[in-house]
């Protein structure tokens, strides 16, 4: 039976970062991935992901995203690869928008630089947009987009160069606590280690079924639309990243950075599934049709669908992350339920997970993400389903 200091289950965005951080601390690391490395059957693919500092979801995310920026820049320097492109992010919505209010709360709490814009000012600054007169926006400069597959590959390659053993196409069948350590069984064998890190994405619904969180899986589509003769209007120096809190259907998008045009996707609003088995991985005409009314209303004139990909959100009941040690097994650290807004944090989450594996504590503020918050009666019913 092979023995390691730490085994990492799942080598996507969070797992690859954890492998890298543990390996550079000199730990003997085994990373296990059920698919080929840097695959398109999880949550860490689709070319780009937004990174933003004025975090609408809660002000407590801001220190962690600032650390993530630092770690992405460091990874660029270590590998010589371009991973992060800076680009302003426009957050916009109608009166009473929870997203825009959340952005403003983070701006106030942390003294962030941001610019308030009326709907008319948004359209003067970015003529491609159309918003009702009562909409308003917050434009933040401390934002950008990450090249998601390149980020995962950079973490994996760096981990391997430091001695990590990263194995692809080796599904994990079970894990168990074994004394003060752990034992992991795969299709190829059994491994033991002092510590375990579980970063299994949507498969945490199975591998962490005893966590009591009530994880669900949501199918989401990433769609690219032709910019046609207006391509210059949507270039990165003229068009921002955006998050639009349109009533009943929030959506977000990117400038045109490749021949496929604008990448646009809805945020939430899809059925919650019990596990990843129910996800349809084919993009259909219905997926494009579902978002077309939002585009026609707010970014009119975009052309046909040029590309599509499916990814998964793994959602918690409150849409906040779970980053913690396992309540029943302190030698096990977990990171799951990133609820469709987690990838930007991967570089910092890898550091947190390495801290938890080493000492069970971290200097980073993760109180919001503790698994024990779901021990309330309200969440207990759902997690037992």
């Amino acid at each position: 039976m092979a023995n390691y200091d730490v085994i990492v289950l799942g080598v996507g965005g969070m797992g690859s970062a954890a492998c890298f951080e543990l390996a550079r601390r000199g730990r003997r690391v085994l990373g296990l991935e059920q698919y080929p490395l840097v695959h398109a059957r999880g949550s860490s693919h689709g070319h780009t992901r937004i990174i933003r500092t004025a975090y609408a979801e809660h002000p407590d995310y801001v220190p962690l995203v600032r650390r993530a920026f630092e770690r992405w820049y460091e990874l660029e320097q270590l590998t010589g690869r371009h991973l992060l492109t800076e680009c302003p992010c426009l957050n916009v919505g109608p009166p009473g928008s929870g997203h825009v209010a959340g952005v403003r709360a983070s701006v106030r709490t942390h003294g962030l630089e941001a610019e308030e814009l009326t709907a008319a000012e948004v359209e003067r600054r970015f003529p491609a947009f159309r918003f009702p007169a009562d909409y308003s926006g917050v434009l933040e400069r401390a934002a950008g987009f990450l090249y998601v597959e390149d980020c995962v590959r950079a973490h994996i390659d760096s981990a391997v160069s430091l001695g990590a053993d990263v194995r692809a196409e080796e599904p994990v069948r079970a894990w168990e606590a074994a004394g003060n350590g752990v034992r992991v069984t795969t299709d190829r064998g059994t491994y033991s280690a002092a510590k375990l890190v579980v970063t299994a994405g949507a498969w945490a619904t199975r591998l962490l079924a005893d966590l009591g969180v009530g994880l669900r899986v949501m199918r989401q589509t990433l769609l690219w639309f032709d910019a046609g003769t207006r391509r210059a209007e949507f270039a990165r120096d003229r068009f921002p990243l955006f998050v639009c809190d349109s009533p009943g259907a929030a959506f977000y998008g990117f400038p045109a950075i490749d021949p496929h045009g604008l990448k646009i996707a809805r945020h939430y609003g899809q059925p919650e599934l019990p596990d990843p088995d129910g996800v349809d991985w084919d993009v259909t005409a219905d997926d494009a049709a579902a978002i077309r009314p939002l585009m026609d209303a707010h970014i009119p004139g975009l052309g046909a669908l040029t590309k599509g990909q499916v990814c998964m959100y793994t959602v918690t009941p409150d849409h906040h992350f779970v980053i913690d040690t396992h309540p029943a097994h302190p030698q096990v650290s977990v990171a799951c339920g990133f609820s469709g807004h987690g990838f930007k944090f991967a570089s910092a989450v890898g550091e947190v997970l390495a801290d938890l594996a080493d000492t069970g504590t971290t200097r980073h503020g993760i109180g919001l993400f503790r698994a024990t918050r779901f021990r309330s009666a309200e969440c207990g019913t759902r997690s037992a389903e």
Side-chain angles (χ1 to χ4, degrees), residues 257-346:
I257 61 169
D258 60 35
H260 297 294
L262 270 72
K263 176 185 169 184
I264 296 175
R266 289 185 62 174
H267 189 46
Y268 298 130
Q270 300 300 316
E272 294 186 10
L273 308 172
D275 57 53
D277 288 348
V279 173
D280 180 356
W281 290 96
D282 294 324
V283 175
T284 69
D286 289 342
D287 292 317
I291 203 168
R292 180 62 74 172
L294 294 171
M295 293 163 42
D296 290 345
H298 300 302
I299 319 174
L302 291 179
L305 180 73
T306 61
K307 179 183 175 181
Q309 280 191 301
V310 173
C311 75
M312 293 183 290
Y313 287 5
T314 308
V315 296
T316 64
D318 61 8
H319 291 178
H320 293 307
F321 309 160
V322 173
I323 307 172
D324 205 351
T325 53
H326 194 291
H329 307 294
Q331 69 271 48
V332 179
S333 304
V334 302
C336 62
F338 287 92
S339 302
H341 61 106
F343 185 85
K344 64 184 71 67
F345 295 92

Side-chain angles (χ1 to χ4, degrees), residues 8 13-25 27 63-72 74 155 197 199 323-324 333-335 338 344-366:
V8 178
M14 305 303 169
S16 63
C19 286
F20 164 62
E21 185 61 41
L22 287 159
R24 76 168 174 175
R25 297 183 186 191
R27 309 298 178 257
L64 195 63
V65 79
R66 283 172 158 168
R67 181 58 174 164
F69 266 104
E70 293 173 356
R71 300 295 274 185
W72 289 124
E74 181 187 22
H155 272 139
V197 174
T199 49
I323 307 172
D324 205 351
S333 304
V334 302
F338 287 92
K344 64 184 71 67
F345 295 92
S347 59
V349 170
E351 184 177 29
V352 171
L353 289 169
D355 291 344
L356 294 177
D358 277 347
T359 67
T361 62
T362 180
R363 66 183 177 86
H364 298 291
I366 59 170

